[in-house]
Amino acid sequence: MSSELLQFLLSGITVGAIYALVGLGFSIIYNASHVINFAQGEFVMIGGMGTVFIASAGAPFPIAMIGAVLLAVVIGISLQKLAIERARHASVVTIIIITIGASIFLRGLAGVIWNRDFHSLPAFSGEQPIHVAGAVIVPQSLWILGVTVAVAVALFVFFNRTMIGKAMLGTAHNPFAAKLVGINTNNILILSFALAAALGAIGGILIAPMAPTHYQVGIMLGLKGFSAAIVGGLGSGPGAMVGGLLVGIAEALAAGYISSNYKDVVAFVIILLVLFFMPSGLFGSRASERV
Amino acid sequence: MSLLEITGLSKSFGGVQAVQELEYTVESGKIHSIIGPNGAGKTTLFNMVTGIFKPSSGEVHFNGQDVTGLPVHELAALGISRSFQNLQVFFNMTVLENVMVGRHLHCRREFLQSLLHTPAITRSDEGARHRAAELLEWVGLKAYVGDHADSLPYGALKRMEIARALACEPKLLLLDEPAAGLNNKETQEINELIQQISERGITVVLVEHDMRLVMGVSDHILVMDHGKKLAEGTAAEVRENPDVVAAYLGRGD
Amino acid sequence: MNFVRYICTLIAGAALALCSFIGIAVADTIKIGSFLAVTGPASFLGDPEKKTLELYVDKINEQGGINGKQVELTLYDTGLDAKEAVTFVKRLISEDQVDIIVGGTTTGETMAVLKEIEKAGIPFISLAGASVIIDPPKKWVFKTPHTDAMAVGMVYNDMKKEGISKIGLIAGAGGFDKSCMKNAQALAEGAGISIAIAETYGKGDNDMTPQLTKIKNAGVDATLFCGFGGPSSIVTKNYAQLGIEGPLYHTHGSCSKGFIKGAGDAANGVRLPCAALLVADQLPDDDPQKTIGMDYIKAYTDKYGSDVSTFGGHAYDALFIAVEALTKAGTTDKAKVRDAIEATENFIGVDGIFNMSESDHMGLSLDSFKMLEVENGNWKYLY
Amino acid sequence: MKGATVASRYGGVFVLAVIVAVLPWFLPNSFYFDVVINSGIAAIVCVGLNLLIGYAGQISLGHAGFFALGAYSSAILTDNLGWPPIVSLGSGLLVVALLAFAIARPILRLKGHYLAMATLGMGIIISIVLNQEVDLTGGPDGMPVSSFSLLGQEVDSELGWYWIVGGSLIITVWLALNLIDSAVGRALRAVHGSEVAAQVAGVDTTRYKILIFVVSAVLAAYAGSLFAHYTGFLTPSEGSFFRSIEFVTMVVLGGMASVFGSVIGAAILTALPQFLTVFHDYEHVMFGLVMMLTMIFMPKGLLPSLRNWINKRTS
Amino acid sequence: MLLEIKGLSSSYGRIQALRDININVAQGEIVALVGANGAGKSTLLKIISGVQPVTDGSVYFDGIDITRASSHRRVRLGIAQVPEGRQMFSPMSVEDNLMLGAYTRKRQEIKSSLERCYTMFPQLRERKRQTAGTLSGGEQQMLAIGRALMAVPRLLLLDEPSMGLAPLIAQQILKTASSLKDANVTIFLVEQNAHAALSLSDRGYVLESGEVVMSDSGQNLLNNEQIKSAYLGS
């Protein structure tokens, strides 16, 4: 493998890991409620900006990070309770508009309450690049990959080893049966928003030392995360991970080999092609309509 | 004369055989019923005849023509229409408009003319509206004509679906559980309706669980179980068939 | 019933809003209108501009206003939407009836409103960079910031001094970035510089390593970055991480402390042309820009607690050129104010010394730029 | 009941025509004209988009792409190639129609959120191309567009534009209402109600979905073309994802499957930001809040909710 | 009475599914509810489990009014259901399905319940790592029963346990169900297969078009001609 290709892949995987975290959030909420939460990107912003501002108030970074994740979780739960739950019976488009409204609201609030400047977090463990076979990788990339893998493993354990995790999965697969075995599906819904918010916020904190955070950082990351979730197949956890990496790598390779002007176009064309040939994404369930 | 001939028809979903090697003939002008326990493959059969599912193997001949795997709207144009087990109502339209959709193939539908609503379109629409209103009256829904479909009671929607199917002027009408969810009186009315439809020369195939209805109207009954033909014949023949009794009531041992 | 209450609130709110935006235009004041991209992708520019305008309009009023009249600022946020910009300009002119307009954060917004400005005949000072705004000069249109062509020229001069001839370019997808890149390509030949490779990155990108890897492999002597905001820091960091040979140049798009903070150690060694403002404290005492720069920095940081950028400086200059013209004209007659702006002479602003004329509606010369280098996380004045 | 549909069709158009005819006397200055003209342009897009989303039930999060394509092709053909504006406009519509037709089949095979994603991707691709092709479009800094002329008569007054846009809107609404109340329109609505039942009734659903996708794209392109000549300056933000979302929001806010709802939705959402400027910094916060609350309390949109409410009151 | 249904009516969507239903089930009984397809049997079970709203009337469990109680609370009180069509968590393993059946119980009690379940259905033990979707129809039905028993219910609602199963398997399933009586579980059974259901029940109710038209001991109903008519239309 040429060092150039390796460099592109490393870049793609790093960015893709963040997309994957955001995409996972989309999938978890979709599973629990069949809602596409277009405010998912704002959790990323709250993660980064929240850490910056809690830290600037004097808290040590680890505390600030936890605080920011908690803040995102609280906002996620409020979003569910105050907006989504009240519009339970509305159409898909209506709910999409509600979540878009929520994202404009949150972004606006962040711009006013915090500010509209760019902010950086210090890298978790220095910025000394590491050389691998002619390519370089920064420690923060390793943090991103490590945490993403850890989150993936944690989610795997959560969904496969804990009762509450299994209950979430069960509710996603068959909400009717879930009610019959005594699962409080309302709580599962709240939990899914909390979890999705936390994942977004973690993504936002991880990326902030590499790319300065900003009150609008959630827009594009949210969009890319949505793409990841769709390409992977809505509702599929592994799908969102693979989708995120795919989008990230496609972007990096397109920028490297095709045209950096049109790298996003290449990424979206790939997404469209995937959908044309697999209308439910890579890992999506192919439900057939009953008549 | 046979209107519909099904030979060696099979359909499987991910390894599960919903319909297996089915042979079935529908005689023109008669009332046919298909019965069988839940999951016997009756609706799957309907879905294959109307083109919603493509058969895994086998053939469907309609009016002497091989129609296997044709798209739904082409089969409709040939004269196959149906109602649905789970209502498929256009809830975003009025009752009259629902039935007018059934007149689709008989309406003028040139795009530019529709945009301008030329006199030709107006006339054709007028005709469709008239025919739809007539059919609604005929199925006993005169009172609901101008109402929004989502304000109708369940029984009325079932009839509206029948009126919509009739609006296509079908040769073959497939009715999927027309009496499900209806009370005795409504079932009786559906019974009469089916006979009247048959009197108009339309061949009817019925999937139904209400045995009183089935036994009362059918000229011919096909009994399915586990995707296969269990028995067929007249109501009396089927009723006396021990396999059928066992499938329905269980064995008395 | 929720719905009714909701509708009532909505109507009441709308009525209130309507009243408040119709019921002005009474007191005898001088009205300055502004439209800025305070939010949206260019908020990095628009936000300090807004803060600067609000800060100094208050100060002017505290000090008695202009010719004894209070100044009223009407400011709208376009969110970087050219359509909104046009609507707001029409509103400023016909509804708010302002006397002068200072604003237009980006070139796109500015260009979109020019037709309206010229038609209405109202003095307008733009805060956007591109030279196309004032070249050819339009009767009512002025601008304060250095053009990106000037910045590129300044960079190319410095490159020649350093013996650099083959460079790589990297730019974003925004208007500033594209215009800067275009100028860099157009001016290269005349400056004896060859551009070996030109790369771009997209909106919201978080990693420019692939693009910079290609630049690295192209074997260039130096790299010029055209862009601003978050990407300034990302590109600089990625550049350092990849260990690319040769210096990295930025343009005046990175003239804010936020860039250095974002890029950290990687920023050291970056060379860029900026307004004198950033190094006001390092300027020789006899430099006329020193005091004004120091004052602006103090006022801004005292009020907002955040670092100044040169973008706010553009607004500062535009505001005070307007104030000076209004003062000199002694009236709000639009034609007279316009003439007064065109007659601006030796106006010392944070961006430099302005000398406007009929053919030059910006009035800055190349020497108003200072060449800086980042050293130990701070600006260092070179020349 | 025949009388009822015809009356609502022509009655509504009549009321709209009267409003359009009278409104200029209530518009004090060019700012109000601008807001109204922009509302009208958006309304044309929304009426078309509502045919697609509200009537045929197919979502599109990329219609600003068509709007911008119409705007830019008109601008490029007029200004770069020197074609007469009316010819450019026609050619622009043709280009958009062909493009929409080409992508409609694969895209409309998708459903729900997948369709949303695909149309969103399509819109983003268009907007990136507009941003990148600097030589053609001027890139992010935009491009000037010469004013519209018809039969040698240049339209440069606000009132002139008002009549063009107002007239276009009335015709659009009239055509849309005609279409809805025809066999084609019923087929479209049937696709939304139940695709399989529509097919059983003989409707070639794929064909109709493609048809309405192309129609709505062409209407968006037409509005875009008017917009280009009206403002005289184009930037790629006209084709952005946000603009697409804005159009969809107008449709949903006004009411799905309500032509007049779309007109109202477009007017409100065009004027709302102007009202919200009184909240200064909190403008966007308020905008998001209004969007959320309206959709939570009136999920069916303004006009249908209002109609329900009046019906409930009177009955 | 363990279960008391008083004057219950329910409609969903446009269908009035049930009208004025009065049904009692005593502790330790097996009670069957028979009737043709579409008579409203499943709706009644859904109401008892709290996944379908009641329009009128009330439901008491062990003397407690549970008409408005949430479904998870009812499971905690001791009502478990084996739903029609099995309703597996198909992509999850057999063991996970069973574990979720015990969702409302204390963690330390689950182990022994699981053991008991595997003893009852040895096939499930063999397939505990397989996903539920890959099981045969009969095994799925066992799993559905096993999952409901994991909650250690006092009242077990069985909805069409023999549906879609080969006759031999269906008999086996029904036998298993009747053996639960010995484990002190009260059973309320809904069946299309009237013979089989009534022959193992203490009492039975006949439902027709949403109304209870008859109730008697299982044996008496079995010999009643009207039953045959309700099913075969003769």
Side-chain angles (χ1 to χ4, degrees):
Chain A
M1 190 164 23
S2 79
S3 66
E4 202 178 48
L5 176 62
L6 181 65
Q7 187 66 57
F8 297 156
L9 285 178
L10 285 177
S11 164
I13 292 171
T14 307
V15 177
I18 300 291
Y19 297 164
L21 286 176
V22 184
L24 269 175
F26 273 102
S27 267
I28 287 173
I29 288 182
Y30 179 80
N31 261 340
S33 61
H34 282 244
V35 163
I36 287 291
N37 173 28
F38 272 98
Q40 186 66 24
E42 304 319 315
F43 298 140
V44 180
M45 178 271 289
I46 292 167
M49 292 287 275
T51 308
V52 168
F53 280 88
I54 297 173
S56 74
F61 273 109
I63 303 290
M65 288 175 192
I66 293 168
V69 173
L70 287 180
L71 178 65
V73 165
V74 168
I75 291 172
I77 292 172
S78 322
L79 178 67
Q80 202 281 329
K81 293 300 277 180
L82 299 178
I84 310 285
E85 194 178 290
R86 279 161 208 275
R88 230 179 350 228
H89 303 294
S91 73
V92 169
V93 205
T94 304
I95 294 183
I96 287 183
I97 305 279
I98 291 174
T99 58
I100 290 174
S103 78
I104 294 175
F105 174 77
L106 289 173
R107 207 183 304 143
L109 219 51
V112 183
I113 294 180
W114 292 330
N115 60 34
R116 302 191 184 99
D117 296 334
F118 284 92
H119 300 275
S120 286
L121 287 177
F124 296 0
S125 48
E127 311 222 355
Q128 196 55 46
I130 302 157
H131 295 262
V132 196
V136 293
I137 186 165
V138 282
Q140 190 63 25
S141 282
L142 296 179
W143 271 104
I144 290 176
L145 295 178
V147 172
T148 307
V149 169
V151 165
V153 170
L155 283 179
F156 181 85
V157 170
F158 175 73
F159 283 123
N160 290 286
R161 297 276 180 277
T162 69
M163 278 309 269
I164 183 86
K166 286 177 188 179
M168 273 184 90
L169 267 191
T171 308
H173 295 316
N174 192 334
F176 172 66
K179 282 184 182 165
L180 286 185
V181 299
I183 295 169
N184 184 343
T185 47
N186 277 335
N187 287 349
I188 297 288
L189 211 58
I190 291 170
L191 183 63
S192 72
F193 271 83
L195 201 55
L199 286 174
I202 290 171
I205 294 170
L206 285 172
I207 192 78
M210 287 187 72
T213 188
H214 187 219
Y215 79 113
Q216 304 204 82
V217 81
I219 302 174
M220 285 313 279
L221 280 171
L223 219 51
K224 297 276 170 68
F226 176 54
S227 310
I230 289 275
V231 170
L234 263 181
S236 161
M241 298 293 286
V242 172
L245 292 178
L246 193 76
V247 173
I249 291 172
E251 277 179 11
L253 292 185
Y257 289 119
I258 302 173
S259 151
S260 55
N261 276 334
Y262 282 104
K263 74 174 183 53
D264 280 343
V265 170
V266 174
F268 278 110
V269 166
I270 290 174
I271 292 169
L272 288 181
L273 287 178
V274 168
L275 291 183
F276 291 165
F277 292 103
M278 306 178 90
S280 308
L282 295 171
F283 296 82
S285 57
R286 280 149 194 77
S288 61
E289 219 176 318
R290 258 187 75 87
V291 288
Chain B
M1 202 198 93
S2 63
L3 181 66
L4 182 74
E5 263 192 62
I6 287 164
T7 43
L9 199 66
S10 301
K11 178 75 188 175
S12 57
F13 297 103
V16 180
Q17 285 280 331
V19 171
Q20 295 181 50
E21 290 290 322
L22 190 77
E23 311 278 332
Y24 181 41
T25 304
V26 171
E27 295 294 327
S28 192
K30 300 251 168 71
I31 299 177
H32 296 254
S33 290
I34 304 174
I35 60 171
N38 260 341
K42 305 173 303 261
T43 298
T44 307
L45 176 62
F46 265 26
N47 282 340
M48 282 192 284
V49 172
T50 49
I52 293 165
F53 292 164
K54 305 258 174 287
S56 309
S57 65
E59 285 179 7
V60 180
H61 285 258
F62 179 68
N63 229 353
Q65 184 188 347
D66 183 359
V67 296
T68 321
L70 284 187
V72 182
H73 63 272
E74 287 183 25
L75 288 165
L78 289 173
I80 300 178
S81 196
R82 71 175 287 184
S83 73
F84 296 89
Q85 181 186 345
N86 306 321
L87 288 175
Q88 294 289 327
V89 172
F90 310 128
F91 284 114
N92 50 343
M93 298 161 92
T94 67
V95 173
L96 184 72
E97 285 172 329
N98 262 272
V99 180
M100 283 173 82
V101 173
R103 295 299 294 169
H104 183 73
L105 293 167
H106 305 270
C107 280
R108 300 200 55 168
R109 44 189 196 280
E110 297 89 345
F111 174 64
L112 281 179
Q113 297 208 27
S114 304
L115 268 185
L116 299 170
H117 228 271
T118 57
I121 294 284
T122 312
R123 264 196 310 278
S124 145
D125 257 27
E126 215 40 61
R129 185 169 287 123
H130 190 75
R131 178 79 182 120
E134 206 174 79
L135 280 167
L136 280 168
E137 189 176 346
W138 192 70
V139 300
L141 293 179
K142 194 178 178 195
Y144 295 114
V145 167
D147 290 4
H148 229 266
D150 59 11
S151 64
L152 255 62
Y154 185 77
L157 289 175
K158 286 245 156 191
R159 285 151 184 270
M160 190 193 78
E161 275 208 340
I162 294 175
R164 186 177 68 199
L166 287 173
C168 305
E169 311 291 349
K171 297 188 180 75
L172 175 66
L173 177 62
L174 309 174
L175 299 175
D176 199 350
E177 303 206 15
L182 302 187
N183 61 31
N184 286 338
K185 184 168 154 282
E186 290 170 322
T187 306
Q188 192 50 43
E189 287 163 358
I190 287 283
N191 187 341
E192 285 158 21
L193 192 59
I194 291 169
Q195 280 171 344
Q196 284 165 5
I197 292 169
S198 177
E199 280 158 21
R200 295 182 144 211
I202 297 168
T203 309
V204 177
V205 182
L206 197 64
V207 160
E208 187 47 70
H209 282 291
D210 188 312
M211 287 303 152
R212 262 181 288 239
L213 174 63
V214 170
M215 297 296 169
V217 301
S218 312
D219 298 311
H220 176 274
I221 295 173
L222 168 74
V223 189
M224 289 180 72
D225 196 15
H226 292 99
K228 291 184 198 148
K229 185 192 287 183
L230 191 66
E232 64 180 324
T234 63
E237 284 166 8
V238 165
R239 197 171 358 207
E240 297 312 316
N241 187 316
D243 289 340
V244 177
V245 175
Y248 269 84
L249 289 177
R251 277 166 222 280
D253 52 11
Chain C
M1 198 183 164
N2 270 342
F3 173 70
V4 181
R5 199 180 316 140
Y6 184 66
I7 282 286
C8 292
T9 325
L10 205 70
I11 291 170
L16 195 77
L18 196 71
C19 295
S20 63
F21 96 85
I22 285 175
I24 35 177
V26 268
D28 186 22
T29 53
I30 291 179
K31 288 192 210 147
I32 299 180
S34 183
F35 62 102
L36 300 168
V38 182
T39 59
S43 61
F44 187 61
L45 309 172
D47 191 51
E49 288 168 354
K50 169 183 182 266
K51 285 178 175 159
T52 303
L53 289 184
E54 286 176 342
L55 167 67
Y56 280 98
V57 166
D58 284 351
K59 278 198 189 295
I60 290 167
N61 284 334
E62 274 167 31
Q63 288 156 15
I66 301 173
N67 297 339
K69 289 182 184 170
Q70 289 286 293
V71 179
E72 187 184 312
L73 176 70
T74 310
L75 191 151
Y76 298 121
D77 170 19
T78 65
L80 194 60
D81 182 334
K83 187 184 87 178
E84 292 287 298
V86 173
T87 305
F88 282 132
V89 162
K90 287 186 177 175
R91 183 168 174 180
L92 288 170
I93 295 171
S94 64
E95 180 71 21
D96 304 327
Q97 302 187 346
V98 298
D99 300 308
I100 186 170
I101 297 178
V102 172
T105 303
T106 64
T107 305
E109 288 172 292
T110 299
M111 293 303 288
V113 305
L114 291 191
K115 192 175 120 187
E116 217 49 52
I117 295 281
E118 289 290 303
K119 201 168 87 182
I122 183 167
F124 168 51
I125 307 176
S126 166
L127 312 180
S131 50
V132 59
I133 297 167
I134 43 119
D135 186 17
K138 292 156 200 73
K139 187 173 178 201
W140 299 94
V141 182
F142 303 85
K143 77 188 258 318
T144 52
H146 315 267
T147 64
D148 33 29
M150 291 167 72
V152 170
M154 188 88 178
V155 168
Y156 280 175
N157 282 346
D158 191 66
M159 284 179 172
K160 267 194 287 186
K161 266 189 212 162
E162 305 283 320
I164 290 161
S165 63
K166 186 180 168 197
I167 64 162
L169 268 181
I170 179 161
F176 175 85
D177 318 55
K178 285 244 176 258
S179 164
C180 165
M181 192 165 198
K182 207 165 122 192
N183 278 307
Q185 283 162 330
L187 295 174
E189 204 178 337
I193 293 216
S194 73
I195 295 171
I197 181 167
E199 291 290 314
T200 58
Y201 54 86
K203 227 179 251 175
D205 278 4
N206 294 303
D207 185 15
M208 285 52 152
T209 314
Q211 291 90 332
L212 288 168
T213 304
K214 285 171 81 182
I215 290 178
K216 180 184 184 185
N217 294 348
V220 295
D221 302 332
T223 303
L224 170 60
F225 163 73
C226 282
F228 58 84
S232 298
S233 310
I234 304 174
V235 166
T236 308
K237 274 190 180 179
N238 291 165
Y239 193 87
Q241 286 149 12
L242 289 170
I244 302 176
E245 301 277 323
L248 176 64
Y249 283 87
H250 282 223
T251 65
H252 55 316
S254 301
C255 296
S256 89
K257 199 67 186 272
F259 152 60
I260 300 183
K261 280 187 184 160
D265 291 344
N268 290 335
V270 167
R271 297 166 81 92
L272 73 171
C274 285
L277 174 65
L278 294 184
V279 285
D281 54 335
Q282 298 173 38
L283 291 175
D285 284 340
D286 59 346
D287 193 310
Q289 281 184 267
K290 181 160 186 155
T291 351
I292 190 165
M294 300 281 277
D295 287 351
Y296 172 57
I297 293 172
K298 186 171 184 315
Y300 191 93
T301 42
D302 280 357
K303 172 90 188 260
Y304 298 111
S306 49
D307 292 311
V308 290
S309 67
T310 53
F311 317 120
H314 305 325
Y316 176 93
D317 288 353
L319 178 66
F320 280 98
I321 287 174
V323 168
E324 194 185 71
L326 283 160
T327 313
K328 277 189 188 157
T331 163
T332 55
D333 180 85
K334 297 194 173 66
K336 288 191 178 134
V337 174
R338 189 214 83 93
D339 293 345
I341 298 175
E342 197 168 71
T344 300
E345 214 180 353
N346 277 328
F347 172 86
I348 302 163
V350 295
D351 275 336
I353 296 159
F354 290 83
N355 285 296
M356 304 243 190
S357 70
E358 202 180 328
S359 60
D360 183 0
H361 277 193
M362 173 179 59
L364 286 174
S365 57
L366 205 52
D367 59 16
S368 59
F369 259 141
K370 309 289 177 198
M371 199 66 195
L372 313 186
E373 187 181 309
V374 181
E375 195 182 79
N376 296 327
N378 225 324
W379 308 112
K380 186 186 163 204
Y381 173 58
L382 294 180
Y383 57 85
Chain D
M1 75 266 134
K2 175 209 150 191
T5 57
V6 173
S8 77
R9 192 158 89 220
Y10 295 109
V13 174
F14 179 72
V15 171
L16 180 67
V18 169
I19 293 174
V20 169
V22 173
L23 199 58
W25 280 272
F26 294 93
L27 299 178
N29 57 45
S30 76
F31 159 59
Y32 288 92
F33 269 99
D34 186 72
V35 171
V36 172
I37 291 170
N38 278 322
S39 304
I41 289 173
I44 294 173
V45 181
C46 291
V47 169
L49 193 56
N50 205 345
L51 290 176
L52 181 70
I53 300 181
Y55 288 96
Q58 311 296 311
I59 193 176
S60 168
L61 296 185
H63 255 54
F66 295 126
F67 180 84
L69 273 186
Y72 271 98
S73 43
S74 215
I76 291 167
L77 294 176
T78 312
D79 285 71
N80 296 10
L81 301 182
W83 294 14
I86 189 81
V87 180
S88 311
L89 188 150
S91 317
L93 298 193
L94 194 68
V95 168
V96 169
L98 290 175
L99 179 79
F101 181 75
I103 53 181
R105 188 174 285 269
I107 275 197
L108 292 169
R109 277 178 51 215
L110 303 171
K111 289 191 184 350
H113 298 300
Y114 295 95
L115 178 62
M117 176 71 229
T119 49
L120 188 154
M122 174 203 77
I124 289 181
I125 290 174
I126 293 175
S127 116
I128 293 176
V129 172
L130 294 177
N131 259 300
Q132 294 294 351
E133 291 306 308
V134 178
D135 292 339
L136 218 50
T137 65
D141 280 349
M143 70 181 289
V145 192
S146 55
S147 53
F148 193 73
S149 62
L150 198 59
L151 308 166
Q153 189 72 34
E154 193 173 304
V155 186
D156 60 355
S157 73
E158 247 126 17
L159 196 63
W161 274 108
Y162 176 86
W163 293 125
I164 289 181
V165 171
S168 299
L169 177 63
I170 293 169
I171 293 173
T172 306
V173 166
W174 180 67
L175 293 178
L177 290 170
N178 279 345
L179 188 69
I180 291 159
D181 192 24
S182 71
V184 176
R186 285 190 296 274
L188 287 173
R189 285 182 283 161
V191 168
H192 190 186
S194 161
E195 210 166 323
V196 61
Q199 289 170 346
V200 167
V203 177
D204 184 348
T205 50
T206 314
R207 195 176 149 254
Y208 281 99
K209 282 200 265 180
I210 294 174
L211 174 82
I212 203 59
F213 188 73
V214 173
V215 168
S216 65
V218 167
L219 272 175
Y222 175 71
S225 183
L226 289 186
F227 174 80
H229 289 293
Y230 164 62
T231 50
F233 197 86
L234 279 181
T235 62
S237 63
E238 299 315 323
S240 68
F241 167 61
F242 301 104
R243 190 72 90 232
S244 289
I245 294 293
E246 204 173 56
F247 287 140
V248 176
T249 310
M250 287 170 178
V251 170
V252 180
L253 184 83
M256 300 261 269
S258 166
V259 170
F260 293 105
S262 285
V263 178
I264 292 172
I268 290 181
L269 234 59
T270 310
L272 188 64
Q274 299 294 332
F275 288 118
L276 294 181
T277 53
V278 294
F279 294 105
H280 297 290
D281 276 348
Y282 289 88
E283 186 184 328
H284 294 272
V285 179
M286 292 307 292
F287 185 76
L289 207 58
V290 169
M291 226 164 122
M292 276 165 80
L293 293 179
T294 322
M295 291 331 309
I296 290 170
F297 291 112
M298 289 185 274
K300 284 189 194 316
L302 286 171
L303 206 59
S305 299
L306 210 65
R307 201 176 289 146
N308 279 351
W309 182 68
I310 291 168
N311 284 349
K312 231 180 256 171
R313 275 292 156 105
T314 49
S315 66
Chain E
M1 281 297 147
L2 187 64
L3 178 71
E4 264 179 291
I5 298 172
K6 291 182 184 165
L8 181 116
S9 297
S10 170
S11 22
Y12 62 93
R14 289 147 220 291
I15 310 175
Q16 162 109 53
L18 296 171
R19 272 175 287 266
D20 194 24
I21 304 283
N22 291 290
I23 284 177
N24 294 320
V25 179
Q27 177 82 44
E29 268 188 317
I30 298 187
V31 175
L33 181 68
V34 297
N37 219 301
K41 306 182 300 271
S42 291
T43 309
L44 183 59
L45 288 202
K46 284 182 187 162
I47 286 172
I48 301 172
S49 276
V51 288
Q52 181 95 42
V54 173
T55 320
D56 202 12
S58 43
V59 182
Y60 291 86
F61 181 72
D62 206 11
I64 306 165
D65 184 352
I66 57 164
T67 318
R68 308 264 165 244
S70 63
S71 54
H72 52 94
R73 180 158 168 245
R74 298 187 198 210
V75 177
R76 283 178 199 279
L77 285 172
I79 301 176
Q81 181 176 160
V82 180
E84 182 185 356
R86 274 86 77 172
Q87 302 285 353
M88 303 284 83
F89 301 113
S90 310
M92 300 173 79
S93 74
V94 168
E95 187 152 301
D96 280 349
N97 269 270
L98 291 172
M99 299 276 276
L100 280 181
Y103 185 73
T104 52
R105 300 186 52 226
K106 290 200 185 74
R107 301 286 170 264
Q108 51 272 34
E109 299 169 4
I110 297 179
K111 201 100 201 143
S112 59
S113 298
L114 201 59
E115 205 44 49
R116 216 176 312 133
C117 183
Y118 284 145
T119 319
M120 189 180 247
F121 303 110
Q123 282 113 307
L124 293 185
R125 189 198 300 274
E126 287 163 29
R127 302 186 186 279
K128 65 179 178 186
R129 302 260 168 265
Q130 249 172 276
T131 57
T134 62
L135 298 186
S136 72
E139 286 162 345
Q140 285 193 4
Q141 193 62 60
M142 290 176 201
L143 178 55
I145 295 173
R147 186 179 67 187
L149 290 176
M150 288 294 287
V152 193
R154 295 165 64 195
L155 174 65
L156 183 67
L157 309 171
L158 285 166
D159 196 353
E160 307 270 9
S162 75
M163 190 175 90
L165 300 181
L168 222 67
I169 313 263
Q171 271 179 29
Q172 192 193 335
I173 292 285
L174 286 173
K175 277 204 184 101
T176 313
S178 64
S179 74
L180 292 174
K181 192 182 175 177
D182 310 331
N184 204 20
V185 182
T186 308
I187 293 175
F188 189 48
L189 171 72
V190 157
E191 256 297 344
Q192 268 194 102
N193 190 333
H195 266 290
L198 291 172
S199 57
L200 62 83
S201 301
D202 300 317
R203 290 189 302 118
Y205 291 84
V206 181
L207 202 62
E208 225 185 298
S209 302
E211 286 173 84
V212 174
V213 292
M214 235 189 305
S215 75
D216 207 333
S217 74
Q219 208 51 46
N220 287 351
L221 286 174
L222 207 48
N223 301 327
N224 192 312
E225 269 304 306
Q226 225 175 319
I227 296 280
K228 208 175 171 192
S229 127
Y231 275 84
L232 284 178
S234 49

